[in-house]
Amino acid sequence: MTILITGGAGFIGSNFIYYMLGKYPLYKIICLDALTYAGNLETLNGAMKNNQFTFIKGDIAGRDVVNDVFNQYHPSHVVNFAAESHVDRSITDPGVFLRTNVIGTGVLMDACRKYETRRFHQVSTDEVYGDLPLDRPDLLFTEETPIHASSPYAASKASADLLVLAYYRTYKLPVTISRCSNNYGPYQFPEKLIPLMIANALQDKPLPVYGKGENVRDWLYVKDHCHAIDLILHNGKLGEVYNVGGHNEYTNLNVVKTILKELKKPESLITYVTDRPGHDLRYAIDPSKINNELGWLPETSFDKGIKLTIDWYTNNRSWWKTL
């Protein structure tokens, strides 16, 4: 099996590369990444030592480079992690998100059609569903929840999902989609909540929290996400969407206070800042479908995962300080 992993120099993509190289030593792994600000080639230093791994610098929205990769390596499977993913940046410059997240996905699928790829897997997000009210903990996102994106980022991912499903229906392209809750773990770019708070706390800098910090997220340790994608890639039903959730709901303020407590830093470092426009209140995923069909459930509790993550950022300061 030859797997093309796009966006593999980013957070989840790099973790997936290491997961697959470790679990399937005979698979060939090709990584295509444009190395934008959030892609760090140093993250893949360990993978570069593996003869089964190949890195190519290129933009998924560039039709010529994508066709060249498919022509040379003929990937049997494609996992598309490549995406602009920061909500704040999408509010400032939505055009970049449309190009990568929508046009890029279309370019990849056109290549999959041309070269008869056996599976195209789209890595999406629970943000396509919009948000849930804070006072209804009984409500969860299911695969049947209507799409109701709040930000340009979420809208671009929702558009890509619709395009993927359209290619399945129109062209019979063998596709699957996963929509995950908020990931955390090693190699996450320090603009996202958890790595930013850890980095700032380690340096005794203020920890900026939007509004009152009451927004709730469902946290998923990245290795659990990698396991889910592995199962979907090998055994998921074509044309299906699978929600991947952590069963770990915490307010942003709870997360920040947990980090400070683990690092033995004072809560006085917390600084409340003006809330983000259109800030989603709560995300929560029901992973019953992937559990019932593929036997997946998250294995890492938030208490365990956050300690592992704090330890990684504490012991790898040179990685994030250069960013």
Side-chain angles (χ1 to χ4, degrees):
M1 186 180 288
T2 299
I3 304 177
L4 173 62
I5 297 174
T6 66
F11 166 43
I12 308 176
S14 62
N15 276 276
F16 187 68
I17 285 172
Y18 285 118
Y19 175 94
M20 296 298 282
L21 287 173
K23 186 173 181 179
Y24 304 103
L26 298 182
Y27 284 13
K28 292 183 179 179
I29 305 294
I30 313 299
C31 172
L32 177 64
D33 196 296
L35 295 180
T36 60
Y37 77 94
N40 186 355
L41 196 55
E42 289 185 15
T43 299
L44 296 174
N45 281 345
M48 296 290 191
K49 301 173 184 177
N50 191 312
N51 291 332
Q52 296 295 97
F53 177 76
T54 301
F55 176 81
I56 302 163
K57 182 178 179 180
D59 184 350
I60 62 168
R63 199 169 294 273
D64 289 341
V65 68
V66 168
N67 284 332
D68 285 346
V69 170
F70 275 74
N71 185 52
Q72 182 173 356
Y73 296 100
H74 293 274
S76 58
H77 295 67
V78 176
V79 183
N80 182 29
F81 291 97
E84 297 285 346
S85 64
H86 195 237
V87 173
D88 289 347
R89 290 179 184 269
S90 79
I91 294 171
T92 303
D93 186 9
V96 176
F97 287 71
L98 299 178
R99 183 179 187 277
T100 298
N101 299 358
V102 184
I103 301 301
T105 300
V107 169
L108 285 172
M109 289 194 295
D110 284 340
C112 287
R113 290 175 57 212
K114 180 178 180 180
Y115 291 92
E116 299 181 344
T117 302
R118 283 155 46 194
R119 176 69 65 94
F120 176 84
H121 181 72
Q122 172 73 359
V123 180
S124 188
T125 170
D126 60 356
E127 294 193 40
V128 302
Y129 298 123
D131 62 354
L132 298 167
L134 294 176
D135 60 353
R136 290 291 306 276
D138 56 308
L139 295 179
L140 301 171
F141 295 138
T142 72
E143 290 81 1
E144 304 305 317
T145 301
I147 286 176
H148 190 68
S150 303
S151 68
Y153 159 61
S156 70
K157 293 296 288 184
S159 300
D161 287 3
L162 293 174
L163 191 63
V164 171
L165 295 175
Y167 269 57
Y168 173 70
R169 178 163 180 170
T170 303
Y171 304 114
K172 309 304 180 188
L173 185 70
V175 306
T176 44
I177 297 173
S178 57
R179 293 173 178 156
C180 67
S181 56
N182 285 46
N183 278 216
Y184 67 103
Y187 300 116
Q188 188 171 25
F189 191 81
E191 66 183 356
K192 299 299 178 72
L193 179 69
I194 287 178
L196 176 63
M197 297 302 149
I198 296 172
N200 281 15
L202 287 171
Q203 300 173 93
D204 295 308
K205 293 181 178 180
L207 277 61
V209 175
Y210 280 130
K212 296 180 181 179
E214 296 175 342
N215 305 71
V216 174
R217 298 295 181 260
D218 177 14
W219 293 98
L220 177 66
Y221 192 59
V222 65
K223 288 187 179 178
D224 287 339
H225 187 193
C226 293
H227 179 214
I229 295 173
D230 175 26
L231 289 173
I232 297 169
L233 195 65
H234 288 88
N235 301 308
K237 295 180 182 178
L238 297 181
E240 293 292 316
V241 176
Y242 293 91
N243 281 353
V244 184
H247 278 315
N248 288 304
E249 287 188 53
Y250 293 93
T251 67
N252 289 346
L253 188 59
N254 286 152
V255 171
V256 173
K257 288 184 176 181
T258 299
I259 291 169
L260 289 171
K261 183 178 180 181
E262 286 292 326
L263 291 173
K264 296 180 171 57
K265 299 289 185 176
E267 291 186 6
S268 58
L269 288 174
I270 297 173
T271 302
Y272 296 95
V273 299
T274 303
D275 207 355
R276 167 193 291 160
H279 200 175
D280 286 337
L281 296 175
R282 171 176 170 257
Y283 302 148
I285 274 185
D286 179 358
S288 297
K289 179 177 178 177
I290 189 172
N291 174 236
N292 294 334
E293 293 188 11
L294 303 178
W296 180 91
L297 278 176
E299 299 176 358
T300 309
S301 68
F302 186 75
D303 286 343
K304 178 182 178 181
I306 197 65
K307 289 177 182 178
L308 290 171
T309 303
I310 290 171
D311 286 346
W312 189 88
Y313 281 92
T314 301
N315 296 323
N316 291 274
R317 299 185 190 218
S318 60
W319 182 87
W320 53 263
K321 278 191 173 182
T322 60
L323 303 178

